[in-house]
Amino acid sequence: MPFSPLKLSQPIKQALDKSGFTKPTPIQEKVIPLVLSGQDVLARAQTGSGKSASFVLPLLELWSQNIPEGKSKIKALVLTPTRELTIQVAQTFKTFGEFLSKQPKIVSVIGGESIGDQLYDIQQGCDVVVATSGRLIDILNKKQINLSKLEFFVLDEADKMLDLGFSEELDIILEALPDKRQNLLFSATYPPKMQEIASRITQDAIEITIEEERQTVDNIQQRAIEVNRENRGPLLRHLLTENDWELVLVFMANRRATDNIAAKFRKHGFKAESFHGSLDQEDRNDTLNAFKSRKIHILFATDIAARGLDIDNISCVVNFDLPRSPADYIHRIGRTARAGKSGVALSFVGHEDSDHFKLIEKRSDVKLEREEIEGFELMGDAPKKVKGKAPVKGKRKSKKDKAREKALKG
Ligand code: AMP
């Protein structure tokens, strides 16, 4: 189906054309009409499904049908779990609002950047605020933002906010919003805690489920390569030279390792950088932009920094260190093959993590042939498993226990 039945006006269609979007993704097909008709929506959708445009397009459409006169007042608030996602969503508003007769003012409210500039932009008047909750609450506490004219509240990737003491933050934010508003909630999963949050925010919401996880994974060629830990770096350099991958995202277990390995790869002539939560926001933005514009070809990243990254044309994702959970595995490999494209996901598996990878495969419902690359074959034996039961801590009676027993008996 093309975009035409979706009742979006000409300037928005023009921006869709410019972006090369010819037909809506399944989530856009379902969510856009619901938002336009004023419904609350609970959508179960992954990153990569096109969910950002599914709320940005109708919100721009509704805003443009009733452009407020005079100084802008905040009509829409979008909360996201990460700074990067906030910037991406704000950019999506700007991209699709480009041809409107008046463009909405969009402000990103995130930590790690000057609060003064953000306060200034808010006070100058803006139409849409895209925010991470911590910085938004700082600004709410300063009483420097007026959300009383708000009409739309969006929670994006809501399940990723759950672990951050989010429930209390949400209370503070909801307090600042008018009761009558339209609510849109996007989440990849719906654990009970999420349902509780959904019931606090939405009213008579229509639930939409997009089963895209399998489809996305189907476009990804998953490979498991056996290699000793110390050979992973040389193997990766070999693979990078042998293959024609344009952008490669390499996941590592910790920040220091990403810095060290990126420096090593640069010494070997690769255009590589590290990306993690300890970098300041400006560095994070610069690195991402350099990666997007292909000035850097290899990005060594930690899980936390890579959440919500939306970069097209990542040809290959490498699990240099395996992810901790099967959910993280799916999340990581989903960084490639976005929006229907294909991609490769490599996992380096050594003796130490062979059992862990089997568990990931089982839970993710895949079974991969183990490969070895000539010159980098897995050497040595797997560490022997200890047979029998491990001693149970605290099972032997202490002197005190014995004395107590004796006292009870006697
Ligand atoms: P999201 O799930 O919002 O992070 O979007 C994933 C990617 O899909 C982004 O790079 C979007 O630019 C792209 N995308 C979203 N909607 C469409 C569409 N209708 N046609 C082509 N690409 C799209």
Side-chain angles (χ1 to χ4, degrees), residues 33-52:
L34 291 172
V35 180
L36 290 176
S37 68
Q39 280 289 341
D40 276 13
V41 176
L42 277 182
R44 188 193 291 257
Q46 318 286 326
T47 32
S49 57
K51 64 180 171 45
S52 314

Side-chain angles (χ1 to χ4, degrees), residues 3 20-25 28 46-53 310 312 338-339:
F3 272 103
F21 289 18
T22 48
K23 57 184 181 45
T25 63
Q28 291 161 4
Q46 318 286 326
T47 32
S49 57
K51 64 180 171 45
S52 314
D310 171 24
D312 280 344
R338 289 171 70 72

Side-chain angles (χ1 to χ4, degrees), residues 331-395:
H331 189 77
R332 283 182 178 189
I333 69 171
R335 303 294 103 201
T336 182
R338 289 171 70 72
K341 299 196 181 91
S342 60
V344 187
L346 309 180
S347 297
F348 289 170
V349 186
H351 290 305
E352 303 76 0
D353 27 39
S354 160
D355 284 349
H356 181 52
F357 194 65
K358 277 188 201 144
L359 192 76
I360 290 179
E361 285 181 290
K362 198 168 161 210
R363 297 262 173 81
S364 322
D365 206 15
V366 288
K367 184 113 195 65
L368 306 180
E369 290 271 321
R370 299 296 183 267
E371 294 175 43
E372 285 192 318
I373 307 288
E374 210 184 321
F376 302 91
E377 292 88 351
L378 187 64
M379 311 288 268
D381 295 324
K384 289 222 165 56
K385 282 182 194 151
V386 185
K387 286 215 170 119
K389 282 184 186 163
V392 180
K393 208 177 159 207
K395 211 173 178 188

